[in-house]
Amino acid sequence: MTTDAPRATVGNTAPVGTPTKVTQGSRTKGGIGESTLRPDGTLKVTGEFAYSSDMWHEDMLWGQILRSTVAHAEILSIDTGEALATPGVYAVLTYDDLPTAVKNYGLEIQDTPVLAHGRVRHHGEPVAIVAADHPETARRAAAKIKVEYKELPVVTDEASATAPDAPLIHEGRDDHHIGHVAHPNIVHRQPIVRGDVEAARQRADHIVEGEYTFGMQDQAFLGPESGLAVPAEDGGVDLYVATQWLHSDLRQIAPVLGLPEGKVRMTLSGVGGAFGGREDLSMQIHACLLALRTGKPVKIVYNRFESFFGHVHRHPAKLHYEHGATKDGKLTHMKCRIVLDGGAYASASPAVVGNAASLAVGPYVLEDVDIEAIALYSNNPPCGAMRGFGAVQACFAYEAQMDKLADAVGMDRVEFRQLNAMSQGTLMPTGQPVDSPAPVAELLRRVKAMPMPPEQQWLAAGEAADVRQLPGGLSNTTHGEGVVRGVGYAVGIKNVGFSEGFDDYSTAKVRMEVVGGEPVATVHTAMAEVGQGGVTVHAQIARTELGVAQVTIQPADTQVGSAGSTSASRQTYVTGGAVKNACELVREKVLEIGRRKLGTYHPAWATAELLLEGGKVVTDGGEVLADLVDVLEDEAVEVEEEWRHRPTEAFDLRTGQGNGHVQYSFAAHRAVVEVDTELGLVKVIELACAQDVGKALNPLSVIGQIQGGTTQGLGIAVMEEIIVDPVTAKVRNPSFTDYLIPTILDTPTIPVDVLELADDHAPYGLRGIGEAPTLSSTPAVLAAIREATGLELNRTPVRPEHLTGTA
Amino acid sequence: MDFLRPASWEEALAAKAAHPTAVPIAGGTDVMVEINFDHRRPEYLLDLNRIGELGDWEVGEESVRLGASVPYSAIMDNLRGELPGLALASHTVASPQIRNRGGVGGNLGTASPAGDAHPALLAAGAEVEAESVRGSRLIPIDAFYTGVKRNALAPDELIRAVHIKKADGPQQYSKVGTRNAMVIAVCAFGLALHPDTRTVRTGIGSAAPTPVRAKAAEEFLNAALEEGGFWDNGKIITPSVAKQFAELCSGACNPIDDVRGTASYRRHAVGIMARRTLTWTWESYRGTAAATEGVA
Amino acid sequence: MRVNFTVNGRPQEADDVWEGESLLYVLRERLGLPGSKNACEQGECGSCTVRLDNVPVCSCLVAAGQVEGRDVVTVEGLADFAKQRAEHGGCASAASGISGATGAACGTPLDAAKRWEARPADSQTGEGTELAPIQQAFIDAGAVQCGFCTPGLLVAADEMLERNPTPTDADIREALSGNLCRCTGYEKIMDAVRLAAARQGEAV
């Protein structure tokens, strides 16, 4: 068997920074640092794991949403009569049926109607909902609802959004951003000004400019939006749903239903991927409304077509950059303007603007900058959270600029980056010092030092070309003709956790007791396990901190305090931190019990540093004092506690100054591509990644995250884009036939080099890892394609017509 | 919706005659997508899965009679020698799962310009065996495609089989998609050398309202090959001939801009594929196949 | 309409089936076998892959009425199917009466759905559950993240290893090119299939 097994290494000797320290000994098997396996793995491979679309209930009905067929229109009338009269239909609801005065929701700005009221602002906006006894009955009934639209002119870009006579997407805005934007069709604006750009510009020997376009990417998680709402006897509702943040959903759902939060009991069901696309609500309120109206359980499952309308996408962006450098290759200044299209509703746009602005410089030392980032309201599909938001778009542009500048100066592109790379102590353009390791130059060195994949692998198996190894793959477009190799490098910086003064906390409830003669820890949080492996890590943390073998992970629900969102690379840091903290408190209580019960038997109970290891209380010298079973007997120790990382500050609205971020995360990529330069087809041969993860709590999961994030970056580089018609603002490719994501034949080997340099501010020194690999992957692939083709390529994704002059 | 389950070909023809609006379903790879996405609600679904002979093929003297439901995977596994172009085309169809279900009959019934089999059928030369209770007829492939997703079948007719000329020379097939697997054609090109008749035939997919042959290109190449004695002397095709052939193939396109690609790109790509497939087949004809023949 | 067929070795009957329903819908919503997944319902992701008369197909594109009298193996029956194959010298016949796992009457009952229980041993040993070699390899190699693509990939990979016990990497990629995964970047899936192939080789 021949293999192209990837080289994946963790924990190489760290040449810079502080190596990770762990406080409580991790001599208990299955603790942190080990690649323990997923606790839900068996269920997932046997098909038993219950995803949100798998729910079933006696007598349940099926919900169906009727969505707008136009992007911008006044609704003149809605006639539900015929739909309601359809046999098997139990309810048809419109805006007029909403039970309370709260009719909108939203993550930060409550601007999104639960059901359209008099107007639709984007293609696919929910207008009415139906409950029926079979999905087909519900679909047919929805099709019988007559909606009369009067179409309005559409706003689709910055020019049409900010024109003097532009239709306002939201009239009468009263959110907290309206005061600092130049036009009501701008959601939020964040400038960052530092140093003296004009003076610094004078020192530049080389100035390069670029105008870059970033396409609209879809999260394309495989498990469609779905869930089941079950009306309860107390007038409340039980909701089983796939989401990224139960408590945020709850805060938005309950007021619309007119129920206290205690009567909306949410349980996380299996989540088929998320990537930001489940941060906003989708079917949650609709299912609850129908369940409460009909008194029956209601299940809603989107199909793939509807899913493209059912969640927000990654903001498409236009980015204008100017950089300067001296003849020695030192960066002098940077000016940029980033315009993000937020679509019809705000969603996470303000935070996306904050990230884009504050990370616009990239991981480089630049003291003189002038940055502006804005997000628009338009009639395009709403955009919000997706893995790496704001930073992804900026990285694509600044890394293209770095290559241009290096070429202008005449330096090697990697050396140029290393010369200007930030390090611990560098000031961000926001004035915030980077106060933990920032091994940017080292990551580049490592990724460059990896061995190159062999040339012409399509001939490796014999004399005839193996088309599976060539651009075009099975489509048999080349046997080597026109194929040129290119290599590209990129590095990026991403913030970890919620920024800009947000109270970003998590809650963990940890219980320890003896069950069946063994000490067992139970961990209960509301953390959404979306596939990232948080449940694996929580069990590892509990084993490390409590020295037990058996850990039970409770299902996530709203019976415990908020865990915050599974996004922003934050869950291992924040909910992991909360679990660690709660375990430490439990440990102290257990030791107190031990001292109380057994303290008189051994002086070390009072004098020594005590640890829990292997189900025993031991001294730091390794002497065993007692079995946990004997300490606890029939007592249970339980702690529920909130945990916070250090606070952050808002960015100043004029200067952008402020300690806005918690932590930074860095990754670098080297892409090797082969391009059929005549047909414009690309095969990525290898995407090597080096990333600093602080501490790999579960190395196998860390590598999985890096490879997955890398592949999503590859997707937006060469194929993924939601295409919106510029005239009608309608989505043209809402399907997996025409929105393409990488297959296993498009994905290269992804060797990973993991660096572990502790961030002393973070639990175990860890660094949030999920997003950084999505940043640099895209510009590395683009750089490699540029090298192969000699083309400038200022947009992503790059399609065959862009590579062949036939766009 | 009614689900008709004829147990025999005769029953199927009778059902189609009784219900001309019935939509035949075999592999289901087109019809079920439309049903799942609520794009189509036929009055009748006519299931052809129970008619065993639709999955059979017979290799004759001149041609292969390929049952309408023979799955693409079976064509790849069993008919690579007789139908090399179609076998290559089959390998580009969607995914392994789809290739296990879908067959040429479905491609012809749907008659989408993007159907992967069409260029290979056009290049090889084929006839569609259509049958109804009124009788059976053979429709030449060149006359089969009548418009975008329209074909020459009468409302009461079903496709029984396709008669495809057995290869008498090298055949090639290329398809451009924006992904390396599981992708619908942006455009596709099939080419077959017919040394017995000293002719070349082509097929172009996804670059005109219907699958088409590049007839002017074929005529040009036939004349050039004849004139230069190429069939006999086995010389390398001169670059200027290949270039003009490619240009004429591009010229045979009448493409549109859509989400999968631009018209301009399609014309360009068809030209490149025409040149490359001509090179591959001709080199193969000359007996020096090893260096350029792909394993697909 | 009514449809009778065999799933994981057991005769099944589905009643009141709407004529436009897919095999996938019948398995998930009528037979209590939601393991086959509904990710795209257009044959573009492979999450719903099952074996229909031994051949891997997208169950979303098979009309329910077309499976009358036929034989289906889903991920729920994969372990038994693989065991049967191993016992019969590499040739499993689903029709030979293996007992497939079947769930409750319909879908996942709420009680079961409410809590999945973490397996204390981190499923390292697959304690208490007999797994097919490919299933164990997916767990061991870290090929499962969200897991939504996993059932389809398992059915496809298992079938490939049945046909081709010593695949090259290119063979694996080709065989799995109809199965999308959005979480892993496929590297761990490659590892898992290599691992299963290697273990299969050792076992022979």
Side-chain angles (χ1 to χ4, degrees):
Chain A
M1 189 171 82
T2 64
T3 62
D4 52 12
R7 304 165 293 280
T9 51
V10 177
N12 284 6
T13 316
V16 284
T18 325
T20 302
K21 290 187 291 253
V22 177
T23 46
Q24 158 91 12
S26 54
R27 273 169 283 182
T28 303
K29 191 174 173 321
I32 64 159
E34 284 184 37
S35 289
T36 62
L37 302 178
R38 299 186 66 94
D40 54 7
T42 302
L43 289 171
K44 284 181 172 176
V45 300
T46 54
E48 294 170 80
F49 189 76
Y51 293 89
S52 54
S53 55
D54 299 342
M55 302 289 154
W56 181 88
H57 198 289
E58 193 81 39
D59 281 342
M60 82 184 180
L61 303 176
W62 290 79
Q64 176 71 33
I65 293 107
L66 178 73
R67 296 174 179 274
S68 67
T69 52
V70 292
H72 197 198
E74 211 178 303
I75 297 176
L76 299 177
S77 66
I78 305 177
D79 177 1
T80 61
E82 201 187 329
L84 257 175
T86 308
V89 170
Y90 285 73
V92 181
L93 306 180
T94 66
Y95 174 88
D96 292 335
D97 299 299
L98 296 177
T100 76
V102 181
K103 297 173 196 295
N104 285 358
Y105 67 89
L107 286 175
E108 181 189 323
I109 302 171
Q110 284 70 53
D111 62 359
T112 314
V114 173
L115 291 166
H117 178 218
R119 183 177 170 196
V120 292
R121 295 179 177 84
H122 69 90
H123 180 203
E125 182 159 351
V127 175
I129 49 179
V130 178
D133 58 8
H134 188 281
E136 175 65 3
T137 316
R139 282 191 293 263
R140 296 279 62 78
K144 288 177 189 164
I145 299 170
K146 296 183 189 71
V147 185
E148 203 184 340
Y149 295 108
K150 183 188 161 199
E151 287 203 54
L152 300 170
V154 292
V155 165
T156 57
D157 55 15
E158 187 181 16
S160 59
T162 58
D165 59 344
L168 298 187
I169 304 298
H170 296 276
E171 278 154 14
R173 276 178 64 185
D174 60 357
D175 59 83
H176 59 284
H177 298 296
I178 187 69
H180 61 260
V181 293
H183 191 285
N185 283 344
I186 297 172
V187 186
H188 175 45
R189 172 179 184 267
Q190 180 65 63
I192 296 180
V193 185
R194 193 170 172 82
D196 184 341
V197 166
E198 286 315 313
R201 200 171 193 275
Q202 302 303 315
R203 295 198 306 274
D205 298 305
H206 303 278
I207 290 178
V208 297
E209 262 188 280
E211 180 86 37
Y212 302 92
T213 302
F214 199 101
M216 186 187 292
Q217 189 179 21
D218 188 68
Q219 295 83 357
F221 43 70
L222 287 192
E225 293 88 341
S226 47
L228 175 69
V230 185
E233 281 180 5
D234 65 354
V237 64
D238 293 292
L239 179 62
Y240 302 85
V241 72
T243 177
Q244 290 176 235
W245 187 357
L246 287 166
H247 287 78
S248 167
D249 285 9
L250 178 62
R251 186 173 45 77
Q252 297 171 78
I253 296 166
V256 176
L257 304 178
L259 291 171
E261 289 189 359
K263 283 196 172 178
V264 181
R265 289 163 294 264
M266 295 185 61
T267 303
L268 186 76
S269 41
V271 185
F275 318 116
R278 298 186 208 269
E279 204 160 88
D280 294 74
L281 295 180
S282 58
M283 47 57 66
Q284 285 91 328
I285 299 178
H286 296 152
C288 291
L289 286 168
L290 290 169
L292 291 169
R293 171 63 74 100
T294 60
K296 285 171 172 287
V298 173
K299 171 171 171 171
I300 296 180
V301 181
Y302 291 177
N303 66 16
R304 183 53 55 183
F305 175 84
E306 186 169 18
S307 181
F308 276 96
F309 297 98
H311 60 260
V312 299
H313 313 293
R314 185 190 294 294
H315 286 70
K318 300 265 185 207
L319 310 97
H320 185 270
Y321 267 79
E322 177 192 305
H323 278 90
T326 64
K327 59 183 186 320
D328 304 325
K330 287 297 265 186
L331 288 169
T332 54
H333 73 286
M334 182 277 263
K335 281 164 53 165
C336 77
R337 186 160 187 279
I338 300 173
V339 180
L340 301 145
D341 185 353
Y345 297 105
S347 181
S349 279
V352 179
V353 168
N355 280 4
S358 59
L359 303 170
V361 160
Y364 300 107
V365 178
L366 253 170
E367 279 151 20
D368 300 282
V369 298
D370 185 351
I371 299 163
E372 180 189 21
I374 63 169
L376 304 171
Y377 273 128
S378 72
N379 295 115
N380 291 326
C383 289
M386 184 175 172
R387 199 173 199 168
F389 67 55
V392 160
Q393 292 91 335
C395 187
F396 164 67
Y398 63 67
E399 285 301 88
Q401 288 282 104
M402 289 303 117
D403 282 350
K404 280 189 196 173
L405 258 185
D407 294 354
V409 172
M411 274 181 82
D412 174 85
R413 292 172 173 186
V414 171
E415 281 170 26
F416 177 81
R417 285 176 170 83
Q418 289 173 317
L419 178 67
N420 291 288
M422 67 161 51
S423 53
Q424 187 161 358
T426 298
L427 289 189
M428 295 293 289
T430 57
Q432 180 172 26
V434 176
D435 61 1
S436 66
V440 177
E442 173 64 12
L443 292 173
L444 286 162
R445 186 191 71 73
R446 283 174 179 244
V447 86
K448 191 178 181 184
M450 287 193 201
M452 288 293 278
E455 304 267 349
Q456 300 200 330
Q457 286 177 84
W458 63 87
L459 293 177
E463 283 190 352
D466 182 349
V467 294
R468 298 174 298 192
Q469 313 270 14
L470 280 159
L474 295 175
S475 294
N476 189 39
T477 45
T478 178
H479 299 167
E481 300 92 331
V483 176
V484 179
R485 178 173 278 207
V487 180
Y489 292 87
V491 60
I493 175 171
K494 177 68 184 57
N495 59 317
V496 172
F498 279 28
S499 301
E500 301 185 59
F502 190 88
D503 181 21
D504 189 21
Y505 69 95
S506 182
T507 317
K509 187 195 273 189
V510 175
R511 183 182 169 91
M512 192 161 165
E513 65 202 310
V514 177
V515 178
E518 253 194 288
V520 174
T522 304
V523 178
H524 187 189
T525 74
M527 177 206 66
E529 169 61 47
V530 303
Q532 83 279 22
V535 290
T536 321
V537 163
H538 291 177
Q540 292 177 266
I541 292 173
R543 286 191 205 103
T544 293
E545 297 302 332
L546 298 174
V548 297
Q550 299 289 342
V551 181
T552 301
I553 305 292
Q554 293 268 26
D557 57 31
T558 50
Q559 307 303 307
V560 62
S562 174
S565 181
T566 300
S567 58
S569 307
R570 66 179 283 287
Q571 279 297 22
T572 302
Y573 190 133
V574 190
T575 299
V579 171
K580 176 174 188 277
N581 178 57
C583 285
E584 286 165 353
L585 295 172
V586 166
R587 189 171 70 218
E588 278 318 305
K589 289 195 176 193
V590 169
L591 290 174
E592 270 169 41
I593 294 170
R595 288 190 190 101
R596 172 160 53 80
K597 286 184 182 168
L598 306 169
T600 54
Y601 294 101
H602 198 298
W605 277 104
T607 55
E609 185 100 19
L610 300 183
L611 310 172
L612 305 188
E613 275 175 14
K616 296 174 170 37
V617 179
V618 300
T619 67
D620 54 355
E623 189 182 356
V624 176
L625 296 189
D627 274 359
L628 282 171
V629 173
D630 299 325
V631 174
L632 284 167
E633 296 174 308
D634 57 358
E635 278 188 74
V637 176
E638 183 173 290
V639 168
E640 177 174 344
E641 192 79 7
E642 287 177 2
W643 185 84
R644 287 170 167 73
H645 56 66
R646 48 194 177 140
T648 58
E649 304 165 355
F651 296 129
D652 184 277
L653 287 170
R654 284 175 305 107
T655 65
Q657 299 302 292
N659 293 330
H661 293 312
V662 185
Q663 187 189 50
Y664 299 99
S665 172
F666 305 92
H669 278 92
R670 180 188 70 196
V672 180
V673 306
E674 272 154 2
V675 182
D676 179 338
T677 51
E678 288 184 305
L679 282 174
L681 300 175
V682 177
K683 181 162 179 76
V684 181
I685 299 298
E686 187 197 80
L687 252 174
C689 182
Q691 182 168 344
D692 175 23
V693 306
K695 165 74 186 172
L697 264 56
N698 185 306
L700 189 66
S701 301
V702 162
I703 290 165
Q705 283 294 307
I706 293 172
Q707 291 171 334
T710 295
T711 303
Q712 290 183 1
L714 182 162
I716 187 66
V718 296
M719 62 180 81
E720 294 185 29
E721 185 173 16
I722 292 183
I723 299 170
V724 182
D725 188 297
V727 176
T728 63
K730 288 174 71 164
V731 177
R732 296 179 65 198
N733 57 340
S735 76
F736 271 180
T737 305
D738 285 314
Y739 184 91
L740 302 180
I741 66 174
T743 72
I744 198 167
L745 269 171
D746 299 283
T747 308
T749 53
I750 307 172
V752 175
D753 191 352
V754 171
L755 200 57
E756 294 183 281
L757 302 179
D759 176 354
D760 290 336
H761 307 284
Y764 304 117
L766 74 83
R767 208 175 275 287
I769 57 149
E771 294 171 290
T774 311
L775 271 60
S776 42
S777 158
T778 310
V781 171
L782 261 291
I785 299 173
R786 286 186 196 106
E787 196 192 61
T789 61
L791 298 169
E792 191 169 2
L793 305 178
N794 286 338
R795 94 177 304 275
T796 200
V798 57
R799 290 195 297 262
E801 55 262 37
H802 303 126
L803 299 177
T804 51
T806 54
Chain B
M1 199 184 291
D2 266 336
F3 198 85
L4 309 174
R5 288 190 261 198
S8 69
W9 180 240
E10 291 66 33
E11 277 183 42
L13 294 177
K16 186 67 172 152
H19 310 289
T21 60
V23 172
I25 176 169
T29 55
D30 278 330
V31 177
M32 286 304 289
V33 175
E34 297 189 301
I35 291 176
N36 290 344
F37 274 21
D38 207 357
H39 292 161
R40 188 172 197 177
R41 284 291 175 268
E43 213 178 334
Y44 300 95
L45 278 177
L46 180 60
D47 175 29
L48 301 176
N49 268 194
R50 290 166 13 113
I51 300 162
E53 60 259 45
L54 293 180
D56 297 337
W57 65 88
E58 299 147 40
V59 179
E61 282 291 303
E62 295 286 315
S63 62
V64 176
R65 182 177 183 236
L66 184 73
S69 299
V70 174
Y72 291 110
S73 52
I75 298 171
M76 290 157 54
D77 291 345
N78 301 294
L79 294 167
R80 208 171 268 278
E82 295 83 355
L83 308 174
L86 185 62
L88 283 166
S90 299
H91 207 160
T92 75
V93 172
S95 66
Q97 289 91 327
I98 303 298
R99 298 197 281 271
N100 285 337
R101 283 288 285 168
V104 174
N107 242 206
L108 290 166
T110 302
S112 157
D116 293 316
H118 308 315
L121 297 179
L122 285 166
E127 290 173 312
V128 180
E129 181 184 338
E131 197 172 344
S132 72
V133 290
R134 295 177 290 116
S136 173
R137 61 174 175 143
L138 290 176
I139 308 170
I141 193 72
D142 297 75
F144 186 78
Y145 310 106
T146 56
V148 179
K149 297 201 174 184
R150 293 209 332 266
N151 59 34
L153 291 178
D156 62 347
E157 280 181 321
L158 292 170
I159 299 169
R160 169 63 186 83
V162 196
H163 299 247
I164 308 160
K165 291 220 174 72
K166 279 166 70 179
D168 57 324
Q171 301 186 352
Q172 274 291 347
Y173 179 91
S174 280
K175 158 176 149 185
V176 167
T178 42
R179 185 159 71 180
N180 287 312
M182 200 158 54
V183 69
I184 292 191
V186 173
C187 52
F189 190 82
L191 187 145
L193 301 186
H194 298 287
D196 289 358
T197 51
R198 298 201 163 187
T199 55
V200 175
R201 282 176 64 113
T202 60
I204 298 173
S206 264
T210 65
V212 292
R213 282 170 62 193
K215 287 195 176 154
E218 291 175 10
E219 282 162 18
F220 159 76
L221 189 58
N222 288 340
L225 293 177
E226 199 58 54
E227 206 172 301
F230 285 91
W231 291 106
D232 295 319
N233 63 27
K235 278 189 190 160
I236 294 173
I237 291 205
T238 46
S240 64
V241 168
K243 184 161 177 277
Q244 191 162 352
F245 173 70
E247 279 167 13
L248 287 166
C249 287
S250 289
C253 300
N254 179 19
I256 54 165
D257 287 331
D258 65 16
V259 291
R260 292 173 193 150
T262 62
S264 169
Y265 175 75
R266 288 183 160 106
R267 268 191 214 98
H268 166 81
V270 163
I272 303 285
M273 289 190 289
R275 181 162 49 76
R276 288 183 183 174
T277 52
L278 175 60
T279 308
W280 299 339
T281 48
W282 192 257
E283 288 304 300
S284 178
Y285 175 70
R286 294 176 62 231
T288 56
T292 52
E293 196 172 314
V295 178
Chain C
M1 65 178 169
R2 174 177 295 180
V3 184
N4 285 285
F5 63 117
T6 306
V7 185
N8 300 328
R10 283 190 185 177
Q12 295 279 6
E13 179 176 291
D15 238 329
D16 292 327
V17 173
W18 169 58
E19 290 70 16
E21 276 177 28
S22 63
L23 169 60
L24 176 67
Y25 183 93
V26 170
L27 290 170
R28 290 175 52 78
E29 304 295 341
R30 297 188 181 277
L31 301 181
L33 294 167
S36 309
K37 290 293 172 249
N38 56 322
C40 83
E41 295 172 87
Q42 56 181 141
E44 295 275 3
C45 78
S47 307
C48 66
T49 303
V50 301
R51 292 179 75 162
L52 175 62
D53 288 352
N54 248 352
V55 174
V57 303
C58 291
S59 61
C60 71
L61 298 186
V62 178
Q66 294 185 295
V67 298
E68 177 69 33
R70 302 182 71 176
D71 195 86
V72 173
V73 177
T74 71
V75 70
E76 288 96 339
L78 192 61
D80 280 339
F81 184 78
K83 189 177 172 192
Q84 186 87 1
R85 178 175 54 213
E87 286 168 2
H88 291 80
C91 171
S93 166
S96 62
I98 55 167
S99 63
T102 30
C106 292
T108 300
L110 204 52
D111 286 342
K114 268 181 187 168
R115 37 195 83 243
W116 58 271
E117 254 185 55
R119 310 262 161 133
D122 282 49
S123 49
Q124 264 153 320
T125 55
E127 251 183 319
T129 310
E130 211 167 322
L131 298 177
I134 190 70
Q135 290 172 313
Q136 190 61 54
F138 263 60
I139 295 176
D140 294 344
V144 179
Q145 287 189 30
C146 92
F148 212 79
C149 68
T150 305
L153 272 162
L154 290 168
V155 174
D158 180 72
E159 192 267 347
M160 182 209 46
L161 289 174
E162 185 181 298
R163 272 186 294 116
N164 179 2
T166 54
T168 64
D169 280 358
D171 292 341
I172 299 172
R173 289 187 193 275
E174 179 178 342
L176 302 184
S177 62
N179 292 79
L180 295 177
C181 169
R182 191 56 160 168
C183 294
T184 63
Y186 302 104
E187 284 288 77
K188 300 294 172 200
I189 293 169
M190 293 295 296
D191 286 349
V193 180
R194 292 177 191 127
L195 180 63
R199 284 176 178 169
Q200 187 174 279
E202 280 165 19
V204 171

